[in-house]
Amino acid sequence: MSDNFINQLRWRGLLQDIIPGCEEKLLESSASGYIGFDPTADSLHIGSLVQILILMHFQKSGHKPIVLIGGATGMIGDPSGKSSERNLLTKEELDKNIEGIRSQLSKFLNFDSKKKNSAVICNNNDWFDKINLIDFIRDIGKHLTVNYMVAKDSVKKRLSKDSKEGMSFTEFTYQIIQAYDFYHLFKNENCLIQMGGSDQWGNITSGTELIRKKTGKKVFALTCPLITKVDGSKFGKTEEGNVWLDRKRTSPYKFYQYWLNVSDEDAFKYIKIFTFYSEDEIIELIRVHKEEPNLRSLQKIISSYLTELVHSKEDLEKSIIASNILFGKSTSKNLGLLDENTFLDVFDGVPKANLSLSYLNSNPIINDFLFESGFLSSKSEINRAIKENSISINKEKINSDFELSKHNLICDKYILAQRGKKNYFLIVFN
């Protein structure tokens, strides 16, 4: 093989549990391995990005990645790491979510069928839809004892005295259904390894046990640690909720900002996990960062790398321009390069006023305009601020002779007023 996949995960801090013999097996020849994604939404979020990157490393190392979308298991809900039962989704909701996830994953993995190790996508509903319940209980259920299943941490936690919710039979079956997924992929796709987060270890090893009992063959498993933040807050969450990979849910600018604002301690860890830089390159990047931490070079590298990977180079360029706007490193020309969504993201929460477009077409003098918009409370205050050279329109300093017209509109709709460095005001024209 061209690369040691397990060693890549190990030095990047992406390896937690592994079945003995897995590394040696993967060094022998190309193998197929899978990770499952439950379609609980029509987009994955950055918590799923770790698993996507593991599949990318797997493919780069010459192996064949299988993406399993849980069209069937998504109807149940995985109890692993959950304190209460999920709401069940309808088939229509699941179909919509599956299609959204399918299109996202094509950005990260090579699905070119001409290549020996091209990625494939499977939906476990394709086989569960054809399985008879009695046959499943007789042929599969007998191989995993209740004692074995109850001993798993994901089950024990929900059955403990501290758990108010308990566990429904529906959720209890998730473990054996996921085990069958591994068995099906082993039998039909020669899949030898299942990967996932550390909270999945119980479900994954149930699959290896089922395959051993059904076929007498040994298969393998590995998990990666769950990503944490040094301050104890949940990785991938903001005040607004999850950081999504879909631009409609989390804009490229806000995605960029999330990574730009991580702590130094987290950046030292994330540069290994979320980029494909080599070990030597990362050692050097960390060294440079530590020499001048105030420049936040690691955060800029991580945010730029991931924004381009998940979105596009154009989105990255717009996000950098947008970020510079708030730090005074921008001009009206740069404002004009932003699309409307990015512009509004940058100035989210800024006070606003609405004026009619006909008022702007009357070419009002700047003093009257600023007073009419409500940006400043009196004309005398406006005159004084202009004389002090503290007023900007669209990031450009103005004087009392400044002529306002529709040519000043950003995205054909907005004008940005500013006093000093931080006092912004947005005028919206309808």
Side-chain angles (χ1 to χ4, degrees):
M1 298 307 300
S2 60
D3 193 11
N4 185 335
F5 168 66
I6 301 299
N7 192 48
Q8 277 288 327
L9 299 191
R10 188 178 286 121
W11 75 259
R12 290 179 185 276
L14 281 171
L15 187 64
Q16 179 145 328
D17 300 301
I18 184 168
I19 286 180
C22 182
E23 183 169 10
E24 293 76 12
K25 186 68 178 177
L26 292 178
L27 286 171
E28 283 177 13
S29 60
S30 176
S32 295
Y34 92 93
I35 293 179
F37 297 87
D38 267 354
T40 53
D42 61 0
S43 169
L44 299 172
H45 49 74
I46 62 172
S48 309
L49 196 52
V50 178
Q51 308 304 327
I52 294 171
L53 291 168
I54 287 174
L55 287 174
M56 291 175 74
H57 280 295
F58 194 67
Q59 189 169 44
K60 285 175 182 288
S61 298
H63 302 294
K64 185 179 184 69
I66 299 172
V67 175
L68 178 66
I69 300 181
T73 41
M75 295 182 185
I76 297 170
D78 181 6
S80 303
K82 307 291 184 300
S83 59
S84 59
E85 189 162 353
R86 286 179 181 167
N87 291 327
L88 300 183
L89 300 174
T90 65
K91 188 177 185 305
E92 290 72 24
E93 289 171 325
L94 281 167
D95 288 344
K96 176 176 176 284
N97 293 350
I98 288 166
E99 192 50 45
I101 292 171
R102 189 192 299 272
S103 62
Q104 276 184 343
L105 289 168
S106 62
K107 295 181 66 177
F108 302 99
L109 297 166
N110 187 344
F111 289 91
D112 183 356
S113 59
K114 296 174 186 175
K115 295 201 171 185
K116 185 179 178 183
N117 71 326
S118 64
V120 295
I121 291 182
C122 300
N123 179 350
N124 63 5
N125 196 51
D126 290 344
W127 50 87
F128 275 111
D129 201 36
K130 301 176 179 68
I131 291 177
N132 177 280
L133 174 62
I134 299 301
D135 291 340
F136 186 80
I137 293 171
R138 183 192 63 204
D139 297 336
I140 304 301
K142 67 180 180 182
H143 291 292
L144 294 179
T145 68
V146 171
N147 306 58
Y148 176 85
M149 295 173 71
V150 169
K152 300 294 184 182
D153 284 342
S154 59
V155 178
K156 280 199 293 188
K157 287 176 183 175
R158 291 285 294 279
L159 296 180
S160 69
K161 294 178 181 177
D162 297 330
S163 173
K164 296 177 182 177
E165 293 283 335
M167 176 181 277
S168 69
F169 177 74
T170 302
E171 282 190 302
F172 185 64
T173 62
Y174 191 97
Q175 185 181 151
I176 196 167
I177 288 174
Q178 184 171 331
Y180 183 82
D181 283 339
F182 197 177
Y183 169 69
H184 177 91
L185 292 174
F186 168 74
K187 193 172 64 170
N188 293 279
E189 303 286 344
N190 194 29
C191 181
L192 298 180
I193 177 170
Q194 183 182 171
M195 301 164 280
S198 58
D199 61 336
Q200 289 292 310
W201 184 247
N203 290 340
I204 292 173
T205 52
S206 291
T208 64
E209 178 72 359
L210 177 62
I211 291 168
R212 184 186 68 80
K213 287 191 171 182
K214 285 281 289 180
T215 69
K217 302 287 179 65
K218 182 176 182 179
V219 291
F220 302 93
L222 68 83
T223 61
C224 66
L226 298 180
I227 306 304
T228 57
K229 291 175 70 175
V230 73
D231 64 4
S233 60
K234 192 167 183 180
F235 169 75
K237 290 277 190 180
T238 66
E239 290 180 1
E240 297 172 351
N242 285 322
V243 178
W244 299 91
L245 304 188
D246 187 335
R247 66 192 303 122
K248 294 174 186 173
R249 287 174 171 262
T250 299
S251 70
Y253 169 73
K254 288 189 175 179
F255 182 89
Y256 177 85
Q257 284 294 316
Y258 177 84
W259 299 102
L260 196 62
N261 289 313
V262 302
S263 68
D264 282 357
E265 291 82 357
D266 286 332
F268 297 146
K269 182 169 60 173
Y270 295 168
I271 190 72
K272 297 177 184 178
I273 294 172
F274 293 104
T275 75
F276 286 90
Y277 293 116
S278 70
E279 190 170 9
D280 288 341
E281 287 172 327
I282 287 172
I283 289 170
E284 176 62 14
L285 291 172
I286 291 174
R287 184 193 66 76
V288 170
H289 178 96
K290 287 182 174 178
E291 283 185 355
E292 294 184 279
N294 58 300
L295 296 180
R296 298 178 67 78
S297 61
L298 272 187
Q299 285 90 338
K300 290 174 183 176
I301 290 167
I302 295 167
S303 55
S304 295
Y305 190 99
L306 287 173
T307 302
E308 184 168 351
L309 177 69
V310 172
H311 295 291
S312 69
K313 189 172 183 179
E314 182 184 3
D315 287 320
L316 169 61
E317 289 169 354
K318 286 182 180 179
S319 297
I320 292 172
I321 291 169
S323 293
N324 288 337
I325 287 170
L326 293 178
F327 296 100
K329 302 173 185 175
S330 188
T331 63
S332 57
K333 182 180 178 182
N334 286 340
L335 282 175
L337 297 175
L338 300 181
D339 59 83
E340 184 175 6
N341 288 336
T342 304
F343 176 76
L344 291 176
D345 275 341
V346 174
F347 298 101
D348 185 30
V350 166
K352 295 178 184 176
N354 290 282
L355 290 176
S356 68
L357 198 56
S358 59
Y359 174 74
L360 182 64
N361 290 334
S362 69
N363 296 318
I365 62 172
I366 189 64
N367 305 58
D368 291 343
F369 168 75
L370 293 174
F371 178 73
E372 189 71 24
S373 70
F375 176 41
L376 296 175
S377 58
S378 68
K379 290 190 176 182
S380 59
E381 185 182 4
I382 293 167
N383 290 332
R384 185 167 62 253
I386 291 175
K387 285 179 182 178
E388 291 170 350
N389 198 34
S390 65
I391 298 291
S392 299
I393 294 294
N394 297 343
K395 302 298 288 186
E396 300 287 350
K397 294 286 186 182
I398 63 162
N399 57 35
S400 56
D401 296 327
F402 181 79
E403 293 184 0
L404 198 66
S405 73
K406 64 180 181 180
H407 299 296
N408 298 112
L409 289 175
I410 300 166
C411 303
D412 299 321
K413 193 173 181 180
Y414 307 98
I415 285 179
L416 180 69
Q418 181 182 357
R419 184 178 187 180
K421 289 184 177 181
K422 295 182 179 179
N423 295 317
Y424 290 101
F425 192 83
L426 196 60
I427 300 98
V428 184
F429 289 89
N430 301 303

